[in-house]
mmCIF file of all heavy atoms in Angstrom:
data_model
loop_
_atom_site.group_PDB
_atom_site.id
_atom_site.type_symbol
_atom_site.label_atom_id
_atom_site.label_comp_id
_atom_site.label_asym_id
_atom_site.label_seq_id
_atom_site.Cartn_x
_atom_site.Cartn_y
_atom_site.Cartn_z
ATOM 1 N N LYS A 1 48.137 94.956 -22.374
ATOM 2 C CA LYS A 1 47.655 95.027 -20.988
ATOM 3 C C LYS A 1 48.793 94.775 -20.001
ATOM 4 O O LYS A 1 48.869 95.399 -18.951
ATOM 5 C CB LYS A 1 46.539 94.020 -20.759
ATOM 6 C CG LYS A 1 46.013 94.045 -19.345
ATOM 7 C CD LYS A 1 44.937 93.033 -19.116
ATOM 8 C CE LYS A 1 44.483 93.118 -17.667
ATOM 9 N NZ LYS A 1 43.541 92.080 -17.334
ATOM 10 N N ASN A 2 49.693 93.867 -20.331
ATOM 11 C CA ASN A 2 50.806 93.541 -19.447
ATOM 12 C C ASN A 2 51.945 94.549 -19.531
ATOM 13 O O ASN A 2 52.871 94.484 -18.735
ATOM 14 C CB ASN A 2 51.328 92.141 -19.745
ATOM 15 C CG ASN A 2 50.303 91.084 -19.427
ATOM 16 O OD1 ASN A 2 49.530 91.227 -18.500
ATOM 17 N ND2 ASN A 2 50.281 90.040 -20.213
ATOM 18 N N VAL A 3 51.879 95.446 -20.480
ATOM 19 C CA VAL A 3 52.915 96.471 -20.630
ATOM 20 C C VAL A 3 52.436 97.812 -20.083
ATOM 21 O O VAL A 3 53.128 98.460 -19.303
ATOM 22 C CB VAL A 3 53.349 96.615 -22.107
ATOM 23 C CG1 VAL A 3 54.402 97.691 -22.258
ATOM 24 C CG2 VAL A 3 53.855 95.279 -22.648
ATOM 25 N N PHE A 4 51.228 98.222 -20.479
ATOM 26 C CA PHE A 4 50.715 99.536 -20.095
ATOM 27 C C PHE A 4 49.518 99.476 -19.146
ATOM 28 O O PHE A 4 49.029 100.499 -18.706
ATOM 29 C CB PHE A 4 50.354 100.359 -21.336
ATOM 30 C CG PHE A 4 51.552 100.689 -22.178
ATOM 31 C CD1 PHE A 4 51.759 100.063 -23.390
ATOM 32 C CD2 PHE A 4 52.483 101.626 -21.743
ATOM 33 C CE1 PHE A 4 52.870 100.364 -24.165
ATOM 34 C CE2 PHE A 4 53.592 101.930 -22.515
ATOM 35 C CZ PHE A 4 53.789 101.295 -23.725
ATOM 36 N N GLY A 5 49.004 98.268 -18.856
ATOM 37 C CA GLY A 5 47.929 98.126 -17.877
ATOM 38 C C GLY A 5 46.519 98.238 -18.420
ATOM 39 O O GLY A 5 45.567 97.983 -17.706
ATOM 40 N N THR A 6 46.364 98.601 -19.663
ATOM 41 C CA THR A 6 45.035 98.751 -20.265
ATOM 42 C C THR A 6 44.903 97.779 -21.423
ATOM 43 O O THR A 6 45.742 97.758 -22.310
ATOM 44 C CB THR A 6 44.829 100.193 -20.780
ATOM 45 O OG1 THR A 6 45.011 101.099 -19.690
ATOM 46 C CG2 THR A 6 43.438 100.372 -21.351
ATOM 47 N N ALA A 7 43.841 96.984 -21.395
ATOM 48 C CA ALA A 7 43.618 96.022 -22.477
ATOM 49 C C ALA A 7 43.031 96.710 -23.694
ATOM 50 O O ALA A 7 42.154 97.565 -23.581
ATOM 51 C CB ALA A 7 42.677 94.922 -22.009
ATOM 52 N N ILE A 8 43.551 96.360 -24.861
ATOM 53 C CA ILE A 8 43.001 96.784 -26.141
ATOM 54 C C ILE A 8 42.868 95.497 -26.947
ATOM 55 O O ILE A 8 43.865 94.806 -27.180
ATOM 56 C CB ILE A 8 43.924 97.803 -26.858
ATOM 57 C CG1 ILE A 8 44.067 99.069 -25.997
ATOM 58 C CG2 ILE A 8 43.366 98.134 -28.241
ATOM 59 C CD1 ILE A 8 45.043 100.078 -26.547
ATOM 60 N N PRO A 9 41.627 95.134 -27.339
ATOM 61 C CA PRO A 9 41.365 93.813 -27.906
ATOM 62 C C PRO A 9 42.286 93.376 -29.045
ATOM 63 O O PRO A 9 42.626 92.203 -29.166
ATOM 64 C CB PRO A 9 39.914 93.914 -28.398
ATOM 65 C CG PRO A 9 39.313 94.998 -27.582
ATOM 66 C CD PRO A 9 40.428 95.963 -27.289
ATOM 67 N N TYR A 10 42.724 94.288 -29.889
ATOM 68 C CA TYR A 10 43.544 93.896 -31.038
ATOM 69 C C TYR A 10 45.047 93.982 -30.761
ATOM 70 O O TYR A 10 45.848 93.650 -31.628
ATOM 71 C CB TYR A 10 43.182 94.735 -32.271
ATOM 72 C CG TYR A 10 43.294 96.238 -32.069
ATOM 73 C CD1 TYR A 10 44.486 96.892 -32.306
ATOM 74 C CD2 TYR A 10 42.204 96.975 -31.630
ATOM 75 C CE1 TYR A 10 44.596 98.260 -32.111
ATOM 76 C CE2 TYR A 10 42.292 98.335 -31.438
ATOM 77 C CZ TYR A 10 43.495 98.975 -31.679
ATOM 78 O OH TYR A 10 43.603 100.330 -31.491
ATOM 79 N N LEU A 11 45.464 94.389 -29.564
ATOM 80 C CA LEU A 11 46.883 94.445 -29.219
ATOM 81 C C LEU A 11 47.195 93.374 -28.180
ATOM 82 O O LEU A 11 47.417 93.641 -27.003
ATOM 83 C CB LEU A 11 47.260 95.841 -28.714
ATOM 84 C CG LEU A 11 47.142 96.966 -29.733
ATOM 85 C CD1 LEU A 11 47.493 98.308 -29.096
ATOM 86 C CD2 LEU A 11 48.033 96.714 -30.939
ATOM 87 N N VAL A 12 47.168 92.142 -28.649
ATOM 88 C CA VAL A 12 47.408 90.985 -27.786
ATOM 89 C C VAL A 12 48.717 90.302 -28.188
ATOM 90 O O VAL A 12 49.214 90.493 -29.303
ATOM 91 C CB VAL A 12 46.236 89.980 -27.865
ATOM 92 C CG1 VAL A 12 44.956 90.613 -27.339
ATOM 93 C CG2 VAL A 12 46.050 89.477 -29.291
ATOM 94 N N GLY A 13 49.273 89.525 -27.286
ATOM 95 C CA GLY A 13 50.494 88.794 -27.589
ATOM 96 C C GLY A 13 50.261 87.722 -28.643
ATOM 97 O O GLY A 13 49.208 87.079 -28.654
ATOM 98 N N VAL A 14 51.237 87.568 -29.518
ATOM 99 C CA VAL A 14 51.154 86.554 -30.573
ATOM 100 C C VAL A 14 52.539 85.917 -30.766
ATOM 101 O O VAL A 14 53.563 86.513 -30.437
ATOM 102 C CB VAL A 14 50.686 87.158 -31.926
ATOM 103 C CG1 VAL A 14 49.264 87.683 -31.822
ATOM 104 C CG2 VAL A 14 51.631 88.243 -32.396
ATOM 105 N N PRO A 15 52.579 84.699 -31.291
ATOM 106 C CA PRO A 15 53.875 84.087 -31.604
ATOM 107 C C PRO A 15 54.594 84.871 -32.695
ATOM 108 O O PRO A 15 53.965 85.458 -33.577
ATOM 109 C CB PRO A 15 53.504 82.689 -32.116
ATOM 110 C CG PRO A 15 52.122 82.442 -31.615
ATOM 111 C CD PRO A 15 51.461 83.793 -31.532
ATOM 112 N N ASP A 16 55.909 84.898 -32.620
ATOM 113 C CA ASP A 16 56.741 85.552 -33.632
ATOM 114 C C ASP A 16 57.705 84.502 -34.173
ATOM 115 O O ASP A 16 58.788 84.309 -33.634
ATOM 116 C CB ASP A 16 57.505 86.720 -33.011
ATOM 117 C CG ASP A 16 58.418 87.437 -33.998
ATOM 118 O OD1 ASP A 16 58.477 87.028 -35.178
ATOM 119 O OD2 ASP A 16 59.085 88.398 -33.586
ATOM 120 N N PRO A 17 57.322 83.793 -35.235
ATOM 121 C CA PRO A 17 58.146 82.676 -35.722
ATOM 122 C C PRO A 17 59.460 83.096 -36.383
ATOM 123 O O PRO A 17 60.299 82.257 -36.654
ATOM 124 C CB PRO A 17 57.229 81.987 -36.738
ATOM 125 C CG PRO A 17 56.318 83.067 -37.209
ATOM 126 C CD PRO A 17 56.108 83.974 -36.023
ATOM 127 N N TYR A 18 59.662 84.387 -36.613
ATOM 128 C CA TYR A 18 60.875 84.840 -37.294
ATOM 129 C C TYR A 18 61.913 85.430 -36.352
ATOM 130 O O TYR A 18 62.979 85.849 -36.774
ATOM 131 C CB TYR A 18 60.513 85.868 -38.382
ATOM 132 C CG TYR A 18 59.514 85.305 -39.356
ATOM 133 C CD1 TYR A 18 58.178 85.652 -39.280
ATOM 134 C CD2 TYR A 18 59.910 84.384 -40.309
ATOM 135 C CE1 TYR A 18 57.246 85.104 -40.154
ATOM 136 C CE2 TYR A 18 58.989 83.835 -41.190
ATOM 137 C CZ TYR A 18 57.660 84.198 -41.099
ATOM 138 O OH TYR A 18 56.758 83.648 -41.966
ATOM 139 N N ASP A 19 61.619 85.468 -35.073
ATOM 140 C CA ASP A 19 62.507 86.110 -34.116
ATOM 141 C C ASP A 19 63.864 85.414 -33.997
ATOM 142 O O ASP A 19 64.842 86.035 -33.618
ATOM 143 C CB ASP A 19 61.864 86.191 -32.735
ATOM 144 C CG ASP A 19 62.715 86.982 -31.774
ATOM 145 O OD1 ASP A 19 62.761 88.220 -31.929
ATOM 146 O OD2 ASP A 19 63.367 86.370 -30.919
ATOM 147 N N TYR A 20 63.942 84.133 -34.345
ATOM 148 C CA TYR A 20 65.227 83.433 -34.209
ATOM 149 C C TYR A 20 66.321 84.061 -35.066
ATOM 150 O O TYR A 20 67.501 83.832 -34.848
ATOM 151 C CB TYR A 20 65.092 81.937 -34.509
ATOM 152 C CG TYR A 20 64.647 81.616 -35.911
ATOM 153 C CD1 TYR A 20 65.571 81.491 -36.942
ATOM 154 C CD2 TYR A 20 63.301 81.426 -36.204
ATOM 155 C CE1 TYR A 20 65.166 81.198 -38.230
ATOM 156 C CE2 TYR A 20 62.889 81.125 -37.484
ATOM 157 C CZ TYR A 20 63.822 81.011 -38.484
ATOM 158 O OH TYR A 20 63.428 80.718 -39.762
ATOM 159 N N TYR A 21 65.965 84.932 -36.020
ATOM 160 C CA TYR A 21 66.964 85.649 -36.810
ATOM 161 C C TYR A 21 67.617 86.784 -36.014
ATOM 162 O O TYR A 21 68.663 87.283 -36.395
ATOM 163 C CB TYR A 21 66.337 86.254 -38.074
ATOM 164 C CG TYR A 21 65.912 85.242 -39.110
ATOM 165 C CD1 TYR A 21 64.573 85.074 -39.424
ATOM 166 C CD2 TYR A 21 66.858 84.466 -39.768
ATOM 167 C CE1 TYR A 21 64.173 84.157 -40.379
ATOM 168 C CE2 TYR A 21 66.469 83.548 -40.724
ATOM 169 C CZ TYR A 21 65.133 83.390 -41.021
ATOM 170 O OH TYR A 21 64.752 82.487 -41.965
ATOM 171 N N CYS A 22 66.966 87.217 -34.958
ATOM 172 C CA CYS A 22 67.458 88.342 -34.167
ATOM 173 C C CYS A 22 68.676 87.916 -33.339
ATOM 174 O O CYS A 22 68.663 86.860 -32.705
ATOM 175 C CB CYS A 22 66.354 88.840 -33.245
ATOM 176 S SG CYS A 22 66.838 90.286 -32.304
ATOM 177 N N PRO A 23 69.738 88.721 -33.314
ATOM 178 C CA PRO A 23 70.939 88.341 -32.564
ATOM 179 C C PRO A 23 70.718 88.251 -31.051
ATOM 180 O O PRO A 23 71.482 87.589 -30.364
ATOM 181 C CB PRO A 23 71.949 89.445 -32.894
ATOM 182 C CG PRO A 23 71.176 90.550 -33.516
ATOM 183 C CD PRO A 23 69.903 89.983 -34.026
ATOM 184 N N LEU A 24 69.674 88.874 -30.541
ATOM 185 C CA LEU A 24 69.395 88.775 -29.106
ATOM 186 C C LEU A 24 68.196 87.879 -28.809
ATOM 187 O O LEU A 24 67.523 88.030 -27.798
ATOM 188 C CB LEU A 24 69.151 90.170 -28.501
ATOM 189 C CG LEU A 24 70.383 91.055 -28.396
ATOM 190 C CD1 LEU A 24 70.007 92.446 -27.922
ATOM 191 C CD2 LEU A 24 71.402 90.437 -27.456
ATOM 192 N N HIS A 25 67.947 86.905 -29.707
ATOM 193 C CA HIS A 25 66.847 85.968 -29.482
ATOM 194 C C HIS A 25 67.043 85.253 -28.146
ATOM 195 O O HIS A 25 66.121 85.081 -27.378
ATOM 196 C CB HIS A 25 66.765 84.960 -30.627
ATOM 197 C CG HIS A 25 65.706 83.933 -30.449
ATOM 198 N ND1 HIS A 25 64.367 84.208 -30.601
ATOM 199 C CD2 HIS A 25 65.780 82.622 -30.106
ATOM 200 C CE1 HIS A 25 63.664 83.106 -30.376
ATOM 201 N NE2 HIS A 25 64.495 82.148 -30.079
ATOM 202 N N ARG A 26 68.258 84.851 -27.872
ATOM 203 C CA ARG A 26 68.623 84.243 -26.582
ATOM 204 C C ARG A 26 69.831 84.999 -26.054
ATOM 205 O O ARG A 26 70.762 85.277 -26.796
ATOM 206 C CB ARG A 26 68.962 82.765 -26.738
ATOM 207 C CG ARG A 26 67.782 81.945 -27.206
ATOM 208 C CD ARG A 26 68.085 80.459 -27.274
ATOM 209 N NE ARG A 26 68.214 79.809 -25.986
ATOM 210 C CZ ARG A 26 67.205 79.513 -25.149
ATOM 211 N NH1 ARG A 26 65.999 79.860 -25.468
ATOM 212 N NH2 ARG A 26 67.422 78.883 -24.019
ATOM 213 N N TRP A 27 69.812 85.306 -24.779
ATOM 214 C CA TRP A 27 70.926 86.022 -24.164
ATOM 215 C C TRP A 27 71.090 85.530 -22.737
ATOM 216 O O TRP A 27 70.164 85.002 -22.136
ATOM 217 C CB TRP A 27 70.739 87.536 -24.225
ATOM 218 C CG TRP A 27 69.414 88.036 -23.746
ATOM 219 C CD1 TRP A 27 68.278 88.189 -24.495
ATOM 220 C CD2 TRP A 27 69.057 88.428 -22.419
ATOM 221 N NE1 TRP A 27 67.252 88.656 -23.725
ATOM 222 C CE2 TRP A 27 67.701 88.820 -22.441
ATOM 223 C CE3 TRP A 27 69.740 88.492 -21.218
ATOM 224 C CZ2 TRP A 27 67.028 89.252 -21.313
ATOM 225 C CZ3 TRP A 27 69.071 88.939 -20.091
ATOM 226 C CH2 TRP A 27 67.736 89.312 -20.152
ATOM 227 N N THR A 28 72.284 85.675 -22.221
ATOM 228 C CA THR A 28 72.604 85.212 -20.877
ATOM 229 C C THR A 28 73.428 86.265 -20.158
ATOM 230 O O THR A 28 74.328 86.861 -20.740
ATOM 231 C CB THR A 28 73.435 83.900 -20.940
ATOM 232 O OG1 THR A 28 72.683 82.921 -21.648
ATOM 233 C CG2 THR A 28 73.760 83.389 -19.554
#
């Protein structure tokens, strides 16, 4: 909903506990 403006019940934001492996997890 926050990306395309239309809510779809099963496409909601969720925590991603593995993202810290990504090189762009934090950027400045």
